[in-house]
Amino acid sequence: MRSHATAGGGAGSARVVAFEPLAVEGLDDTLISLEREEHLAGDALDKLPEGSGWLMIQFGGDTKDDVEAKAKALIDEVNAAGGS
């Protein structure tokens, strides 16, 4: 089972790595603009929060609940640290 969490691009990499993600990908507004122009991501881009940089984090686990718990734990950690 896999899930994705999106956090503001300012999330510290050491904080993210501590949660043992399967993959981490940084996106900036230039890349997103190109994807929009080429129609590469469909409606997914409309779901991004406002900003000019995003960090996409992919988690794995045995069940959807396991994966969602990992994503929520990271989001809670980032929010507790003031969003960065």
Side-chain angles (χ1 to χ4, degrees), residues 1-79:
M1 182 59 67
R2 292 182 178 191
S3 181
H4 297 81
T6 307
S13 59
R15 181 175 291 129
V16 171
V17 170
F19 286 85
E20 301 178 343
L22 294 177
V24 178
E25 180 180 5
L27 306 170
D28 68 2
D29 56 347
T30 302
L31 179 60
I32 296 302
S33 293
L34 292 171
E35 289 188 15
R36 284 188 198 282
E37 288 174 15
E38 298 296 325
H39 307 285
L40 297 176
D43 296 333
L45 299 178
D46 296 332
K47 296 177 183 176
L48 289 173
E50 285 190 43
S52 59
W54 302 267
L55 192 60
M56 304 297 283
I57 305 162
Q58 183 180 44
F59 291 99
D62 293 331
T63 68
K64 183 178 179 181
D65 288 342
D66 291 344
V67 173
E68 288 178 353
K70 290 177 186 180
K72 184 178 182 327
L74 174 57
I75 291 167
D76 290 347
E77 170 78 18
V78 170
N79 287 337

